[in-house]
């Protein structure tokens, strides 16, 4: 090696060494960006869940007030015949009011009385009626009942209403505050589990509102979606993957499916409105139409995942079947489809999970109406869980905030179960070839 | 006879056809021992007979039900008194509606005019006649088809091939639904949008800068024509998408780099699904989060800094949308980065490059087209996103680029214009379809471009 | 709906001029002159299958060029040659497995017992029941051993009842020399067997439908020497009842199991003859170069 090259090599090495420190710093910096990004992402997940759950867990509990109700015979069944129609139609509200008046005998003025009655939820009388109808022998006796409090009382007890703000800025005035404090001091106020949130339909009164109607609506809608989109999606995937010749038409179908998968969901809502409701005259707000719209929306996803599942079945299986003299239809039906089924089911569940969380297209076809009844058929007006979330989120009452979060928790629980099922299916049946 | 009874009858006939076809095929070759002399398994002969029985019958029945009303309407109109036959089209429609209501029983017959009553009687008579005719035709065809197929059964008949052909056609029809959906979208959106452009010129819609679709009830009210300039909606949509991308792209890209290039496999297996949880959360949840948590948070932060932040601001909607899109960007970028061949990295390492230098100088440039495609897909996602903006962005159609103010977007307007019972043909509702058309075309173009880029990129390394 | 649907895949266009089919039928008479560049006797006295001037194109690629060859009854013929020489493609023409590839196009005529198998009326399904196939990699169905064997008889309706099916399964496994090893675990998955057992299972599966010809595409390339030896013994036994066409890269194997050997080169059938003669006294330069290991 000549003198010159040696010298050049030495200076190069020196230059490299001199730059090393800077380069390692840059390395560290770059790496910390990455870690920061991941950490931020995880932080968002945690924050989102924290904010929902911390707001929402109280929706499963409700404030109840313990009162002694007397089933006065003269009020319920004056003629003593115990006729069911009489029992059904009796004025139970009066019994509840009576019980309240007994607690607070000093309240006599009309306006104050109305406020006093307002402490209890409107559902209190239905509870009393149910007790009587369940056992008419109760008439004439007294019973201690836990009756649901009004949503304002509930908010106060749960600490969402600040006692320290001036009286005219809170929804509960000082008198009511006094009554509630007295009841609390007498251990008559308690926050207990509220089954009505899970079993009741929607209501204008926050404390009576439940998610059952929306859950049933979601269930019906998803059933329609599942029964249409899964068979059609699998059939389409089988055709495209196993039978179709590569030609212009199949190319168009493929491009089409890929593009449909990325069309905004609201556009499917427009389609549903214009086609199913305006053109075919199907009923508004019905799970049937919702299911149809969601079918069209999830179909591309199901076709794409089903095709992937079919692709994952090794060609040697098909060859073996063909080699035995199986026809293409037999090869697919007997061998390929059973092997691809877990993958297809996984895809279908994920598609269904997405459909369950979808709300925008359903707004278009009128599934946003206020519906207090729990739907019983596919054409009853209904709403779905995410739309229920949207409806409650836009309600002004403070108490609906926790309902909304609670409904979100129910929704997320369903999604969690579905995704867990998908993960389970995948891990249980996934084959490595 | 009720239609469902006919359908059940056809199904029974079909089941019978299956049994008979099967039995005949077996009998022709002298019992079960001889079935190897048949071209196909006996059940295929059964299926073939059943198909010949069911398909023509059900097809005719369906077609009959689609078409019979037209014939009936024609006949009923011809029976009307001469003075009522030459009514203008809209009055004739009203008349027919009355008749229809009487027939269906939603209008008591006693309340209707005598002509309508007699027309309704005629309608009912024709309807039952048509039902009977359709039913008997369908049943006859089913019987005839089944009998024909049954007679044709012979050991040489290629029953399996016939049945499989039908299966293949059915499968092909299923795959056509994708195309039908696209056509349906285009037709329904385009049709209503064209109706809208007949009232409001296209140029006013695309270049106008005021959006106030509320049509006045009375003609003499101010601004009775409404204003349909969509520019504020476009800028609002772009602003929110821009904010979302400003959040999602750096975080998504860097976390993809971190996960693909730095994290070890076990960590990756935990963190990746956790990040993807964000993609599985329904958008309405994000909307709620934006409206009730992020909005107030930003507002108080703004107050602290002396800034006026609207409670429904572009920033809060865009920020939350960005969070939603993070996993979308990161998983796409992850795919693209892992698709870069190891040999390229090895080349850089062999020259003494550090990891970050390799990533920045070799991996990222190589993966760039794919990442750009992914980002475009994410943009199309952001443009089409509805619930977050509906719940957190507001309704004010303001032409502004200030992220602290409330803006509105195309999707928000579609939702607000179409929620509730609107008169379907007013420009207000039709404008929603025009907006839908813009949305569809814009996202479609973005998708086509993005998919093309991504595919080209993938092919490069295959 | 027509019940007489051509079973052929419409994308595989087969151009078989009538005149040529007739000529091919004549050519199948032993001793008659066949227009071919192949060195050696392509015809045999007792041919179960005959191929005449077969050409296969994969899109632009001309994979098999003008090959004429007879498959003799109760004999093993080995197809040898370097990779990509078209021997596997030719093999797959014999039971129309190329139909499953969209871009493949087959010209020429191939007959089975004198009937053109590429004729429009020919049902591929029946054809494949008569010309079975064993693949390079053992590919049992992911089902039980019993179901693997029973599948063919079931779809072809070969067994009238369960007892007959049981019998078919047992005899097929016995013929494949696998019965003793698996008779106690017929309900175990076929994929749980060892590689060699799996390949014998595949052979048993092919035998179960009573084929006339069995095609084997490098059946031992994925197996160890002991398993290979067992399969080779099995092939020798099966020769009693079936015509066997085997593609192999292993020249010792060709020499051990076959009576005739055909040497393919770049899609052409260069030389065919008795195995002894090919390995001891090849007549064509290319054959000699390959046999002596000058390339391959």
């Amino acid at each position: 090696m000549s003198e010159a090259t040696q010298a050049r090599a030495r200076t190069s090495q020196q230059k490299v060494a001199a730059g090393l420190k800077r380069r390692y710093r840059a390395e560290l910096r770059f790496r910390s960006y990455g870690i920061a990004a991941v950490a931020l992402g995880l932080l968002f997940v945690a924050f989102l869940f924290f904010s929902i759950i911390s707001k929402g867990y109280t929706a499963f509990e409700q404030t109840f007030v313990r009162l002694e109700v007397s089933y006065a015979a003269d009020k319920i069944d004056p003629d003593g015949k115990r006729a069911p129609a009489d029992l059904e139609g009796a004025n139970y509200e009066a019994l509840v009011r009576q019980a309240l008046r007994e607690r607070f005998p000093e309240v006599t003025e009309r306006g104050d009385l109305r406020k006093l009655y307002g402490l209890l939820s409107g559902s209190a009388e239905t509870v009393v009626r149910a007790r009587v109808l369940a056992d008419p022998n109760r008439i004439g006796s007294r019973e201690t009942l836990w009756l649901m409090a009004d949503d304002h009382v509930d908010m106060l007890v749960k600490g969402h209403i600040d006692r320290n703000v001036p009286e005219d800025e809170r929804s509960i005035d000082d008198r009511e505050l006094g009554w509630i404090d007295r009841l609390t001091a007498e251990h008559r106020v308690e926050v207990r589990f509220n089954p009505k949130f899970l079993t009741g339909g929607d209501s204008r009164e926050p404390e009576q509102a439940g998610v059952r109607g929306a859950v049933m609506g979601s269930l019906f809608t998803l059933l329609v979606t599942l029964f249409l989109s899964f068979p059609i999606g699998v059939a389409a995937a089988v055709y495209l993957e196993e039978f179709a010749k590569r030609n212009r038409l199949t190319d168009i179908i493929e491009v089409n499916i890929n593009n449909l998968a990325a069309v905004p969901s609201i556009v499917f809502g427009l389609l549903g409105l214009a086609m199913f409701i305006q053109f075919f005259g199907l009923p508004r707000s019905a799970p049937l139409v919702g299911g149809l719209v969601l079918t069209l929306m999830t179909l591309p996803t199901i076709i794409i995942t089903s095709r992937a599942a079919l692709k994952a079945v090794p060609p040697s299986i098909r060859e073996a079947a063909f080699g035995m003299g199986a026809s293409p239809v037999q090869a697919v039906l007997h061998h390929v489809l059973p092997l691809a089924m877990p993958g297809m089911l996984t895809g279908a569940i994920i598609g269904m999970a997405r459909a369950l969380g979808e709300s925008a297209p359903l707004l278009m076809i009128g599934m946003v109406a206020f519906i207090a009844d729990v739907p019983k058929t596919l054409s009853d007006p209904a709403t779905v869980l995410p739309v229920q979330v949207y409806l409650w989120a836009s309600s002004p009452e403070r108490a609906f905030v926790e309902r909304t979060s609670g409904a979100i928790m129910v929704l997320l629980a369903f999604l969690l179960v579905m995704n867990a099922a998908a993960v389970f299916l995948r891990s249980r049946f996934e084959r490595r070839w | 006879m009720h239609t469902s009874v006919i359908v059940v009858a056809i199904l029974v006939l079909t089941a019978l056809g299956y049994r008979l076809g099967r039995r005949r095929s077996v009998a022709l070759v002298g019992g079960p021992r001889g079935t190897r002399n048949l071209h196909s398994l006996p059940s295929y002969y059964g299926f073939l007979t059943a198909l010949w029985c069911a398909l023509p019958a059900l097809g005719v029945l369906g077609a009959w039900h689609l078409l019979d009303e037209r014939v009936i309407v024609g006949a009923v109109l011809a029976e009307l008194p001469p003075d009522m036959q030459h009514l203008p089209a809209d009055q004739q429609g009203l008349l027919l509606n009355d008749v229809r209501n009487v027939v269906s029983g939603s209008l008591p017959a006693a309340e209707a005019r005598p002509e309508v009553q007699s027309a309704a009687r005629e309608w009912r008579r024709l309807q039952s006649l048509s039902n009977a005719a359709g039913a008997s035709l369908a049943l006859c065809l089913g019987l005839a088809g089944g009998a024909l197929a049954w007679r044709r059964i012979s050991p040489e008949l290629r029953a399996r091939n016939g049945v499989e052909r039908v299966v293949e056609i059915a499968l092909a029809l299923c795959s056509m639904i994708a195309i039908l959906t696209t056509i349906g979208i285009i037709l329904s959106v385009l049709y209503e949008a064209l109706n809208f452009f007949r009232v409001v010129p296209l140029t006013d819609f695309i270049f106008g800068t005021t959006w106030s679709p509320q049509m006045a009830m009375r003609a003499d009210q101010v601004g009775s024509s409404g204003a349909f300039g969509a520019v504020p909606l476009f800028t609002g949509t772009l602003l929110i998408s821009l904010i979302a991308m400003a959040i999602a792209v750096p975080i998504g890209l860097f976390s993809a780099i971190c996960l693909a290039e730095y994290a070890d496999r076990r960590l990756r297996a935990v963190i990746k699904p956790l990040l993807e949880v964000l993609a599985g959360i329904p958008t309405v949840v994000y909307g709620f989060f934006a409206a009730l948590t992020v909005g107030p948070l930003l507002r108080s932060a703004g107050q602290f800094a002396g800034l006026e932040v609207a409670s429904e601001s572009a920033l809060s909607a865009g920020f939350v949308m960005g969070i939603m899109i993070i996993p979308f960007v990161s998983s796409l970028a992850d795919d693209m980065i892992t698709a870069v061949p190891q040999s390229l990295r090895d080349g850089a390492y062999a020259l003494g490059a550090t990891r970050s230098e390799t990533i920045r100088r070799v991996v990222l440039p190589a993966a760039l087209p794919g990442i750009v495609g992914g980002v475009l897909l994410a943009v199309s996602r952001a443009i089409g996103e509805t619930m977050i903006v509906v719940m957190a962005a507001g309704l004010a159609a303001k032409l502004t680029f200030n992220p602290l103010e409330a803006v509105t977007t195309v999707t928000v307007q579609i939702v607000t214009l179409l929620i509730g019972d609107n008169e379907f043909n007013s420009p207000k509702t039709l404008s929603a379809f025009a907006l839908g058309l813009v949305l569809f075309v814009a996202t479609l173009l973005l998708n086509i471009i993005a998919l093309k880029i991504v595919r080209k990129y993938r092919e490069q390394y295959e | 709906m027509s019940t007489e649907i051509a079973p052929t895949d419409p994308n595989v266009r087969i151009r078989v001029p009538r005149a040529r089919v007739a000529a091919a039928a004549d050519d199948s008479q032993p001793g008659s002159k066949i227009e071919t560049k192949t060195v050696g006797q392509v015809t045999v006295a007792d041919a179960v299958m005959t191929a005449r001037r077969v050409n296969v194109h994969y899109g632009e690629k001309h994979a098999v060029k003008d090959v004429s060859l007879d498959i003799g009854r109760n004999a093993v013929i080995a197809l040898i040659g370097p990779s990509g020489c078209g021997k596997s493609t030719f093999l797959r023409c014999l039971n129309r497995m190329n139909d499953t590839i969209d871009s493949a196009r087959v010209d020429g005529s191939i007959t089975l017992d004198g009937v053109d198998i590429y004729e429009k009326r020919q049902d591929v399904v029946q054809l494949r029941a008569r010309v079975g196939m064993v693949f390079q990699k053992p590919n049992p169905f992911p089902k039980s051993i019993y179901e693997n064997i029973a599948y063919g008889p079931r779809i072809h309706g070969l067994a009238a009842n369960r007892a007959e099916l049981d019998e078919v399964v047992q005899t097929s496994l016995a013929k494949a020399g696998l019965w003793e090893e698996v008779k106690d675990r017929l309900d175990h998955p076929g994929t749980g067997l060892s590689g060699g057992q799996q390949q014998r299972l595949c052979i048993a599966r092919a035998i179960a439908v009573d084929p006339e010809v069995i095609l084997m595409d490098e059946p031992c390339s994925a197996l160890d020497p002991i398993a290979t030896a067992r399969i080779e013994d099995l092939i020798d036994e099966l020769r009693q009842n079936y015509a066997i066409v085997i593609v192999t890269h292993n020249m010792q194997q060709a020499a051990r199991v076959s009576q005739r050997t055909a040497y393919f080169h770049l899609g052409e059938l260069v030389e065919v003859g008795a195995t002894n003669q090919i390995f001891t006294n090849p007549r064509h330069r290319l054959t000699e170069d390959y046999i002596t290991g000058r390339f391959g």
Side-chain angles (χ1 to χ4, degrees):
Chain A
M1 207 186 279
S2 77
E3 204 58 20
T5 34
Q6 269 183 14
R8 214 166 43 235
R10 224 175 301 127
T11 49
S12 295
Q13 276 162 23
Q14 278 165 359
K15 276 183 192 160
V16 169
L20 269 185
K21 220 172 176 179
R22 182 183 47 78
R23 286 171 59 195
Y24 277 123
R25 267 204 308 277
E27 169 76 24
L28 200 67
R29 208 160 48 230
F30 190 78
R31 193 177 178 150
S32 51
Y33 291 152
I35 293 170
V38 173
L40 259 174
L42 295 179
L43 191 76
F44 288 144
V45 179
F47 183 46
L48 189 69
F49 275 90
F50 172 76
S51 112
I52 300 288
I53 293 173
S54 65
K55 277 199 188 98
Y57 77 97
T58 49
F60 298 91
E61 304 173 325
Q62 202 65 33
T63 306
F64 285 80
V65 179
R66 186 165 53 115
L67 285 176
E68 285 81 31
V69 180
S70 66
Y71 300 112
D74 56 328
K75 290 234 176 73
I76 301 172
D77 190 20
D79 48 7
K81 278 193 278 190
R82 300 286 190 268
D86 291 348
L87 297 187
E88 183 80 37
N91 184 3
Y92 292 97
E93 195 180 12
L95 301 187
V96 176
R97 291 184 171 176
Q98 174 68 31
L100 272 170
R101 276 203 306 276
E102 281 172 22
R103 273 290 104 219
F104 299 98
E106 73 280 7
V107 184
T108 50
E109 201 256 323
R110 267 182 83 101
D112 288 350
L113 271 175
R114 196 176 312 128
K115 269 190 185 155
L116 181 64
Y117 300 151
L119 288 185
L120 282 188
S121 157
S123 70
E125 57 168 293
T126 45
V127 173
V128 177
R129 176 186 296 128
R131 296 294 294 174
V132 173
L133 289 179
D135 181 9
N137 292 330
R138 288 205 173 93
I139 294 172
S141 68
R142 278 175 76 83
E143 190 177 20
T144 308
L145 287 179
W146 283 98
L147 297 173
M148 198 186 268
D150 188 62
D151 58 314
H152 296 298
V153 179
D154 183 50
M155 286 294 103
L156 179 83
V157 172
K158 284 174 180 166
H160 294 308
I161 293 177
D162 191 355
R163 289 161 181 264
N164 301 324
V165 294
E167 189 180 358
D168 50 349
E169 283 177 27
R170 24 181 162 93
S171 52
I172 287 200
D173 65 18
D174 288 344
R175 281 196 70 109
E176 292 168 301
L177 212 55
W179 296 332
I180 296 167
D181 286 343
R182 212 169 101 196
L183 286 169
T184 314
E186 293 167 10
H187 301 291
R188 287 179 176 277
V189 176
E190 217 170 83
V191 178
R192 356 169 88 203
F193 175 67
N194 173 24
K196 205 154 176 127
F197 181 65
L198 294 175
T199 59
D202 193 9
S203 169
R204 302 267 185 219
E205 297 299 324
E207 78 275 3
Q208 297 179 38
V211 292
R212 173 118 180 277
V215 169
M216 292 311 285
S218 277
L219 188 73
F220 284 143
T221 311
L222 279 196
L223 275 182
V224 174
T225 311
L226 183 67
F227 277 103
L228 288 175
S229 67
F230 188 59
I232 296 177
V234 168
V238 165
Y239 177 73
L240 292 174
E241 202 57 45
E242 305 284 334
F243 295 107
K245 311 291 173 304
R246 306 283 303 161
N247 57 25
R248 266 197 88 73
L249 183 67
T250 43
D251 277 353
I252 290 175
I253 294 179
E254 266 209 71
V255 172
N256 223 301
I257 289 169
N258 285 334
N259 281 324
L260 271 185
V263 166
S265 59
I266 192 169
V267 173
F268 286 96
L270 289 176
L271 170 72
L273 176 63
M275 195 154 87
F276 295 134
I277 292 180
Q278 292 296 324
F279 189 72
F280 289 126
L282 293 173
R284 264 177 174 269
S285 315
L288 179 67
V289 183
L292 284 173
V293 170
L294 291 183
T295 298
L296 296 184
M297 203 192 83
T298 48
L299 208 50
T301 325
I302 291 188
I303 295 178
I304 290 170
T305 50
S306 296
R307 289 188 70 176
L310 287 170
K311 270 202 188 97
V313 176
S316 71
I317 297 287
R318 290 179 193 92
E319 283 200 327
F322 291 148
M324 294 301 301
S327 68
V329 172
Q330 286 173 329
V332 169
L333 236 49
H334 297 163
H335 300 289
V336 179
L337 213 51
L339 292 175
M341 205 32 93
M344 291 176 161
L345 279 177
T346 312
I349 294 175
I350 290 171
M352 287 303 112
R354 199 181 283 174
L356 174 60
E358 195 54 68
S359 32
L362 301 181
L363 301 183
M364 303 285 93
I365 55 160
M367 293 187 91
V368 275
F370 168 78
I371 292 140
D373 293 328
V374 175
K376 293 194 177 57
T377 69
L378 293 181
S379 49
D380 285 349
T383 187
V384 293
L385 258 180
V387 177
Q388 185 74 76
V389 168
Y390 167 71
L391 281 170
W392 282 349
S394 31
S395 299
E397 285 94 342
R398 176 65 183 79
F400 269 123
V401 172
E402 66 168 30
R403 302 269 139 185
T404 314
S405 302
I408 289 176
M409 284 165 68
V410 174
L411 179 60
L412 290 180
F414 277 115
L415 289 175
L416 196 72
V417 170
M418 291 171 91
N419 282 304
V423 169
F424 171 77
L425 258 180
R426 192 178 293 163
S427 63
R428 175 81 175 68
F429 292 104
E430 192 173 52
R431 266 170 206 275
R432 292 254 168 255
W433 298 96
Chain B
M1 247 192 294
H2 201 265
T3 319
S4 57
V5 180
I6 311 291
V7 172
V8 169
I10 293 173
L11 291 182
V12 169
L13 214 60
T14 305
L16 205 67
Y18 174 81
R19 293 207 53 126
L20 290 177
R22 203 192 135 97
R23 193 181 297 167
R24 178 172 162 93
S25 72
V26 176
L28 276 177
V29 289
R33 304 234 141 246
T35 49
R36 63 169 67 201
N37 297 325
L38 286 172
H39 172 273
S40 314
L41 291 180
S43 56
Y44 283 108
Y45 292 92
F47 280 128
L48 193 67
T49 319
L51 284 173
W52 270 87
C53 192
L55 290 184
L58 290 177
V60 161
L61 197 67
W64 193 278
H65 273 272
L66 279 180
L67 299 177
D68 69 342
E69 179 156 321
R70 280 178 213 188
V71 181
I72 291 176
V73 167
V76 167
L77 281 178
E79 289 288 312
L80 284 173
D83 59 316
M84 295 178 80
Q85 284 196 21
H86 302 289
L87 288 171
D90 53 335
Q91 286 189 39
Q92 207 170 52
L94 284 175
L95 187 74
L96 275 176
N97 241 353
D98 280 353
V99 178
R100 206 170 277 144
N101 285 336
V102 173
V103 170
S104 70
S106 56
L107 185 73
E111 287 175 21
R113 284 174 292 171
E115 307 91 68
V116 172
Q117 285 187 30
S118 68
R121 266 197 302 279
E122 176 70 8
W123 184 306
R124 274 213 196 100
R125 194 180 65 80
L126 289 172
Q127 182 77 60
S128 59
L129 198 71
S130 147
N131 280 352
S136 30
L137 181 64
L139 282 176
C140 285
L141 262 176
L143 272 173
L148 197 73
W150 185 78
R151 275 184 54 101
R152 284 193 51 189
I153 290 174
S154 70
E156 294 81 40
L157 179 73
R158 300 180 169 209
R160 198 201 64 249
N161 308 49
V163 173
E164 290 182 346
R165 188 82 198 144
V166 174
V167 171
E168 270 187 48
I169 290 172
L171 293 179
L173 286 181
C174 284
S175 71
M176 291 296 165
I177 288 186
I179 287 192
L180 287 184
T181 309
T182 310
I183 293 175
I185 289 176
I186 292 174
L187 279 188
S188 55
V189 175
L190 196 66
Y191 179 75
E192 308 291 357
L194 285 181
N195 275 344
F196 172 72
F197 290 132
R198 226 168 271 150
V199 184
V200 178
L202 181 66
T203 44
D204 286 11
F205 177 70
I206 293 192
F207 300 111
T209 54
T210 2
W211 178 264
S212 69
Q214 292 308 322
M215 303 286 277
M217 287 298 153
R218 296 189 316 276
D220 57 327
Q221 272 180 322
V222 186
S224 59
S225 63
F228 292 97
V231 170
L233 312 189
F234 299 154
T235 55
T237 309
L238 284 182
L239 178 64
I240 289 183
S241 305
L242 219 69
I243 296 168
M245 297 322 286
I247 302 281
V249 171
I251 296 183
L253 189 57
F254 270 105
S255 48
I257 291 171
C258 186
L259 289 178
E261 300 279 332
Y262 285 107
D264 69 87
R265 197 174 321 162
R266 265 173 312 162
L267 201 64
R268 187 181 147 93
V270 176
I271 291 179
K272 213 173 152 151
L274 267 179
L275 275 183
E276 269 159 20
V277 163
L278 286 173
I281 293 176
T283 52
V284 70
V285 177
Y286 282 107
F288 178 69
F289 181 63
L292 264 100
T293 307
V294 176
L297 212 68
L298 287 177
R299 195 178 159 82
S300 43
Q303 269 167 357
F304 187 72
L307 283 170
E308 180 68 32
V309 183
S311 58
E312 292 184 321
S313 66
L315 188 59
S316 63
F319 179 77
V320 172
M321 198 189 282
I323 294 179
M324 184 190 83
I325 293 177
I326 289 174
F328 194 76
V329 175
S330 82
S331 68
L332 267 167
D334 193 52
D335 284 354
M336 302 305 156
I337 289 172
T338 40
V340 174
Q342 187 62 30
S343 57
L344 282 183
R345 290 186 187 88
D346 289 347
Y349 288 140
L351 286 176
T354 64
R355 235 182 193 173
S356 65
E357 284 163 352
T358 309
I359 295 166
R360 275 182 300 159
R361 300 281 163 77
V362 178
V363 177
L364 283 187
L368 194 64
I371 293 173
V372 169
V375 168
L376 283 184
L377 281 180
V379 171
S380 113
R381 254 278 175 89
I383 290 178
E385 172 46 43
T386 308
M387 292 318 286
I388 296 177
V389 280
V390 165
M391 293 167 84
L395 292 170
K398 241 180 292 175
L399 188 55
T400 174
F401 277 106
N402 181 356
L404 304 181
E405 282 188 64
V407 296
T408 192
T409 72
V410 174
T411 48
V412 172
Q413 287 305 316
I414 295 178
V415 169
T416 38
L417 290 171
L418 288 181
I419 280 192
D421 290 313
N422 285 308
E423 191 193 338
F424 197 74
N425 283 325
S426 72
K428 191 180 146 193
T429 25
L430 290 180
S431 69
F433 285 89
L435 289 175
L437 180 66
V438 172
L439 186 65
F440 179 69
V441 171
T443 50
L444 191 70
L445 284 180
L446 274 174
N447 286 328
I448 290 176
I449 296 170
L451 287 178
K452 208 160 223 172
I453 294 176
V454 169
R455 183 173 308 155
K456 233 186 196 148
Y457 169 72
R458 289 233 168 94
E459 275 165 6
Q460 180 191 337
Y461 290 123
E462 252 165 22
Chain C
M1 192 185 70
S2 158
T3 52
E4 296 180 1
I5 287 141
T8 45
D9 189 327
N11 257 40
V12 180
R13 278 149 302 173
I14 299 147
R15 291 190 267 113
V16 187
R18 291 286 104 203
R20 194 189 284 175
V21 173
D26 288 342
D27 285 350
S28 64
Q29 299 305 316
S32 64
K33 187 74 191 126
I34 290 169
E35 189 194 319
T36 171
K37 285 192 279 180
T38 308
V39 177
Q41 183 74 356
V42 298
T43 57
V44 293
D46 186 16
V48 58
M49 294 189 84
T50 63
R52 291 295 174 266
R53 310 204 59 175
V54 172
N55 282 284
V56 182
H57 296 261
Y58 287 122
E60 293 294 298
K61 193 171 176 272
H62 195 173
V64 171
K65 297 173 187 157
D66 233 10
V67 171
S68 299
L69 186 64
D70 281 4
I71 313 295
R73 234 177 264 282
N74 299 343
V76 179
I77 178 166
L79 311 184
I80 62 168
S83 305
C85 66
K87 54 191 191 302
S88 282
T89 307
F90 177 70
L91 186 80
R92 295 167 73 95
C93 289
L94 297 177
N95 71 342
R96 293 185 49 183
M97 282 299 276
N98 285 326
D99 286 17
T100 55
I101 301 162
D102 276 353
S103 62
R105 209 180 73 220
V106 181
D107 303 323
S109 93
I110 299 174
T111 65
L112 174 61
D113 289 335
V115 179
D116 192 329
I117 63 169
Y118 279 93
E119 203 221 342
K120 240 180 147 55
R121 294 272 321 171
Q122 175 66 50
D123 191 330
V124 267
V125 165
Q126 280 179 326
L127 170 69
R128 289 180 191 150
R130 294 171 66 192
V131 184
M133 188 157 188
V134 175
F135 296 85
Q136 186 168 1
K137 246 181 79 192
N139 55 355
F141 298 123
K143 299 183 173 183
S144 71
I145 293 170
Y146 184 94
E147 287 300 321
N148 262 285
I149 309 291
Y151 181 68
R154 259 202 202 119
I155 59 169
H156 296 299
L158 299 183
N161 52 44
R162 180 77 189 197
E164 278 188 38
L165 197 60
D166 288 348
E167 199 192 312
V168 171
V169 170
Q170 181 174 351
T171 47
S172 309
L173 282 171
K175 276 192 206 162
L178 200 59
W179 176 248
E180 288 304 319
E181 291 163 59
V182 300
K183 64 180 176 192
D184 300 325
R185 45 174 176 150
L186 290 177
D187 54 339
H188 286 223
T191 41
L193 297 171
S194 75
Q197 287 173 323
Q198 285 190 16
Q199 196 61 299
R200 276 182 283 146
L201 179 67
C202 291
I203 294 175
R205 189 175 65 184
I207 298 171
V209 290
D210 285 338
E212 293 166 55
V213 183
I214 302 176
L215 310 177
M216 297 187 173
D217 191 357
E218 300 182 43
C220 302
S221 62
L223 305 180
D224 63 65
I226 294 172
T228 302
R230 293 214 54 170
I231 303 268
E232 287 178 3
D233 290 346
L234 176 59
I235 292 173
D236 207 44
E237 282 169 36
L238 292 175
R239 179 160 66 89
Q240 317 294 324
N241 301 312
Y242 309 99
I244 294 173
V245 187
I246 177 169
V247 165
T248 178
H249 269 137
N250 180 336
M251 275 176 288
Q252 286 77 21
Q253 185 173 64
R256 280 193 298 266
V257 300
S258 71
Q259 287 75 52
R260 284 169 83 217
T261 298
Y263 174 66
F264 281 73
H265 186 83
L266 294 178
E268 290 182 41
L269 176 55
V270 173
E271 180 170 355
V272 61
T275 302
N276 280 339
Q277 175 255 311
I278 293 276
F279 281 98
T280 53
N281 185 19
R283 290 199 269 163
H284 198 287
R285 258 282 312 286
L286 285 167
T287 321
E288 190 179 351
D289 286 352
Y290 184 70
I291 302 283
T292 52
R294 233 162 275 173
F295 65 87

